[in-house]
Amino acid sequence: MFDRIAGFYDRMNTVMTAGLHHDWRRRAADLAELAPGDRALDVATGTGDLALELARRVAPGGEVLAGDFSERMLELARAKASAAPGLPVRFETANALALPYGDDEFDAATVGFGARNFSDLDQGLREMTRVVRPGGRVVILEMTTPQRPPLSTFFRFWFDRAIPVIGRLAGDPEAYDYLPSSVRRFPGPTELAATMSDSGLSDIRYLLTAGGIIALHVGVVRSRA
């Protein structure tokens, strides 16, 4: 499915978020608190926008690895990177539930709009925590369901009705029927914070933006001693 929608994925993101998704990725990168020379991982990177933002933070001297299981998404991410020469980022095939990296390899790990696609959220968060050094950060940028009107009413209309129609016009109704259902079944902000704690993170905090439609979570990897 993600290979199929890769060609219009960025355009759909812009339509669905009125172009604000770039700002939200910048805020996620801020929460990672990276510095030049650091090493970061972006999981479920898609077409690479968050990974490229991280790369700007770790240059010069640092490195960003970015993984996804969709080869077509990775092709588009690499094309973006080639248009921004000098950014220290590498895109490669990776399974979020079994990351091909050693323990404590990174200063931070991020996932932007991909955690709700993990078939096992607990395992995905454990893997992200495992590969980050103690004291490093894990950041999750994700959509969430607002609970109060008028945003809750708008959200139901936009995601349950309008987005599937737009998906049909784009030629892939299955993918954009999947989107609202994936958001609905994803844990709310408090529940996600608890899952992050269970995965080995502490000092967890989150902020809601866009009227409660977007949640940014960050936690610090606990000592493993």
Side-chain angles (χ1 to χ4, degrees), residues 3-189:
D3 281 344
R4 291 200 316 268
I5 68 172
F8 51 86
Y9 177 80
D10 286 344
R11 290 192 296 274
M12 284 293 289
N13 279 348
T14 297
V15 169
M16 290 187 298
T17 69
L20 294 173
H21 60 105
H22 295 297
D23 290 334
W24 300 332
R25 287 185 173 92
R26 282 191 286 270
R27 296 183 75 174
D30 289 342
L31 290 174
E33 293 194 356
L34 293 164
D38 282 347
R39 197 162 185 253
L41 173 69
D42 187 42
V43 176
T45 193
T47 59
D49 286 338
L50 181 50
L52 293 168
E53 189 63 39
L54 298 174
R56 295 182 184 99
R57 311 300 176 93
V58 303
E63 181 183 35
V64 173
L65 300 184
D68 204 287
F69 56 34
S70 168
E71 287 298 330
R72 181 57 182 146
M73 290 280 193
L74 290 172
E75 288 175 10
L76 296 172
R78 293 181 185 116
K80 288 181 182 179
S82 68
L87 287 181
V89 59
R90 185 168 81 242
F91 295 98
E92 54 194 22
T93 303
N95 179 356
L97 305 188
L99 293 171
Y101 312 110
D103 297 351
D104 306 344
E105 280 199 31
F106 299 97
D107 298 291
T110 63
V111 57
F113 303 115
R116 71 176 183 277
N117 300 318
F118 293 173
S119 59
D120 184 334
L121 179 61
D122 292 349
Q123 176 63 16
L125 294 184
R126 284 193 297 267
E127 278 291 275
M128 291 179 69
T129 301
R130 176 184 66 79
V131 300
V132 174
R133 63 168 176 79
R137 293 181 161 224
V138 171
V139 178
I140 302 170
L141 165 62
E142 195 50 90
M143 301 176 70
T144 190
T145 303
Q147 301 301 313
R148 296 182 178 179
L151 259 297
S152 59
T153 304
F154 167 78
F155 185 87
R156 284 193 299 271
F157 168 78
W158 182 241
F159 277 90
D160 290 347
R161 298 185 182 182
I163 292 302
V165 170
I166 294 171
R168 285 193 288 275
L169 294 174
D172 203 318
E174 178 188 351
Y176 289 94
D177 283 337
Y178 166 80
L179 173 62
S181 66
S182 69
V183 175
R184 280 195 300 270
R185 67 173 178 261
F186 194 70

